Amino acid sequence: LHHGDCLEVLEMLDECSVDAVITDPPYCSGSVGEAQRTAAKGQGLRSENLAKDGARRFSWFRGDNMTTAGLVFLLRSIAFESLRVVRGSGSFLCFCDWRMYSSLQPAIESSGWRSQGLIVWDKGHMGLGVGFRPQHELVMHFTAGKPAYHSRSIGNVIAAKRVHSSRRVHATEKPVDLIEKLLEVASPVGGTVLDPFMGSGTTGVACARMGRPFIGIERDAEHFATAKARIEATEVAA
């Protein structure tokens, strides 16, 4: 586990040292326009929906206030370095939402990854809003070459309940069982998995449960400590 900037740490990793990359970067979708994104007070969350102490509780999300161009630049740089460290035709899996997909997909593809399609995370329940209320998120799938799949039992729509707010330690925390299903297809048994935006360590927890070596990078000290504790506890339980 690395506490630091993901671009700096990625440069230190050996070439062809991981089998799959899976990450959940900032969505930068707290508003519909660039000006509103710049003014947003929380990552991926509209400022009016934050609690009074939201700026403090979600302070680690301030990096999400970058523009679309900023996120495209960041993720293309990460994708470029990830391609260097991945083995063979390994996978790159990246969470996003519908607002950012059209910008991020070609940016990652231009770094040398081969686009293989989209996976839909069905959360099972609608979120807030009007009209067709959101019930899903997207996962972009790329490979370094001809795809190598390690399971045929998972479809491209994965149903997994969201982590309940009472148990959530990160505002955008993903369920462990969702990550496990992604890894089952995208990484070999015993294969090393890299997460450049480790957050609270959910991918590391999934790897510990599945017996896969894990490399995680997180720049926020509070989340790094949470991730370390969660992963260590899972390893002990396993």
Side-chain angles (χ1 to χ4, degrees):
L1 306 182
H2 300 270
H3 178 211
D5 184 280
C6 56
L7 284 175
E8 294 177 358
V9 175
L10 279 169
E11 290 178 354
M12 297 187 299
L13 298 182
D14 291 336
E15 188 174 337
C16 301
S17 58
V18 306
D19 296 282
V21 182
I22 177 169
T23 197
D24 183 18
Y27 283 7
C28 299
S29 295
S31 57
V32 214
E34 294 297 321
Q36 289 173 300
R37 287 196 185 98
T38 303
K41 297 178 180 177
Q43 177 178 27
L45 301 169
R46 292 182 184 275
S47 57
E48 63 266 27
N49 291 334
L50 289 173
K52 290 182 179 179
D53 65 337
R56 177 178 61 82
R57 290 177 58 224
F58 300 117
S59 60
W60 56 87
F61 284 113
R62 289 172 187 168
D64 188 58
N65 295 337
M66 69 182 85
T67 62
T68 298
L71 184 61
V72 164
F73 176 85
L74 174 62
L75 283 189
R76 188 183 185 278
S77 300
I78 289 168
F80 187 83
E81 278 299 313
S82 295
L83 187 64
R84 180 185 65 82
V85 302
V86 80
R87 273 191 275 267
S89 57
S91 286
F92 184 96
L93 292 160
C94 183
F95 281 85
C96 71
D97 74 355
W98 65 270
R99 295 178 185 88
M100 304 304 292
Y101 170 73
S102 61
S103 298
L104 297 181
Q105 191 275 342
I108 294 173
E109 191 175 38
S110 72
S111 70
W113 289 94
R114 186 181 297 182
S115 180
Q116 299 297 341
L118 275 174
I119 301 142
V120 176
W121 169 31
D122 177 6
K123 302 177 182 180
H125 295 282
M126 295 179 291
L128 300 175
V130 295
F132 295 102
R133 291 163 57 187
Q135 188 175 310
H136 78 287
E137 289 182 33
L138 303 172
V139 184
M140 298 178 288
H141 181 215
F142 303 85
T143 59
K146 183 179 179 181
Y149 301 122
H150 306 281
S151 173
R152 300 178 63 184
S153 62
I154 309 295
N156 65 355
V157 177
I158 302 174
K161 291 183 179 179
R162 288 175 289 190
V163 180
H164 193 274
S165 58
S166 63
R167 296 184 291 108
R168 196 181 301 148
V169 292
H170 191 292
T172 61
E173 184 178 341
K174 301 302 186 287
V176 175
D177 58 335
L178 168 65
I179 303 299
E180 287 178 334
K181 290 177 180 176
L182 295 174
L183 291 178
E184 185 178 335
V185 177
S187 65
V189 174
T192 301
V193 177
L194 165 69
D195 186 352
F197 293 96
M198 179 172 62
S200 58
T202 299
T203 299
V205 169
C207 286
R209 287 172 36 156
M210 300 175 74
R212 283 163 168 76
F214 174 68
I215 300 171
I217 309 168
E218 175 56 42
R219 72 174 185 175
D220 181 87
E222 182 178 350
H223 278 310
F224 179 83
T226 299
K228 185 173 183 291
R230 290 181 70 202
I231 295 167
E232 288 177 347
T234 305
E235 288 177 334
V236 169

